[in-house]
Amino acid sequence: MPKQKTFIMLKPDILKRGLMGTIISRIEDKGYQIERAQIMDLDKQMIAHHYAHLLDEDFYPKLEAYMLSGPVFAMVVTGENVITGMRQLIGATDPNEAESGTIRADFAKNVTENAIHGSDTEENAAIEITRFFNSYE
Ligand code: IDP
């Protein structure tokens, strides 16, 4: 299995609550490498592109407010089968449904403020990495 890249983003409350290091350790402990990273503020347009599939949802304004509530930590993470592996490490969208030991089960506050994003497909990983880092190397 060749190395893959995925886009991972620690959401604002993780930075505010001082949990960045803990979550980065979980990623590295799984054998993945952080290849690129930056702390950044998102704007409404960036959030609308990233969550374009959710723009019509009732909860979108709440999601937008959460993603604007502080800087995020954006990363390109690499490793064997990293897209599926990171989705497993992250857990289900709703922390009440996330398997124990996953990042969301341990650190997400609720289904909106759920700590972390990870790309779901290789195609989306390439789109998201390009959106956040301006290039897919
Ligand atoms: P994912 O982040 O697990 O891939 P998506 O369905 O793409 O799940 O949702 C994107 C983000 O939108 C979630 O991570 C969460 O922050 C928020 N979200 C998703 N579903 C709900 C919901 O039912 N209520 C409130 N917020 C939600």
Side-chain angles (χ1 to χ4, degrees):
M1 170 69 73
K3 265 198 178 183
Q4 276 182 333
K5 290 178 202 283
T6 191
F7 174 70
I8 300 296
M9 174 167 55
L10 306 187
K11 298 183 179 181
D13 62 307
I14 293 301
L15 281 69
K16 286 188 203 160
R17 291 154 73 201
L19 289 168
M20 254 175 64
T22 303
I23 294 178
I24 289 168
S25 291
R26 289 202 182 189
I27 295 170
E28 291 184 330
D29 287 349
K30 225 177 147 175
Y32 300 139
Q33 292 199 327
I34 297 168
E35 193 178 275
R36 300 167 81 179
Q38 60 180 342
I39 291 177
M40 58 195 291
D41 290 304
L42 303 185
D43 60 23
K44 286 187 179 186
Q45 192 187 17
M46 191 91 160
I47 297 164
H49 284 144
H50 186 67
Y51 287 131
H53 60 298
L54 299 173
L55 280 171
D56 293 335
E57 298 288 344
D58 291 346
F59 61 77
Y60 186 80
K62 216 162 74 173
L63 174 61
E64 181 186 68
Y66 171 48
M67 297 306 294
L68 288 171
S69 66
V72 300
F73 188 64
M75 287 175 267
V76 177
V77 177
T78 61
E80 242 177 64
N81 208 17
V82 71
I83 294 175
T84 304
M86 275 304 307
R87 294 282 293 189
Q88 281 166 356
L89 186 63
I90 287 170
T93 308
D94 183 345
N96 293 318
E97 289 165 17
E99 266 185 59
S100 66
T102 60
I103 291 170
R104 282 175 173 162
D106 291 345
F107 303 112
K109 290 194 204 164
N110 54 58
V111 69
T112 306
E113 297 179 72
N114 65 358
I116 182 167
H117 165 82
S119 309
D120 57 354
T121 62
E122 237 175 320
E123 189 189 354
N124 281 337
I127 292 169
E128 290 169 1
I129 289 168
T130 306
R131 177 180 301 127
F132 282 84
F133 289 93
N134 299 316
S135 66
Y136 181 76
E137 287 158 9

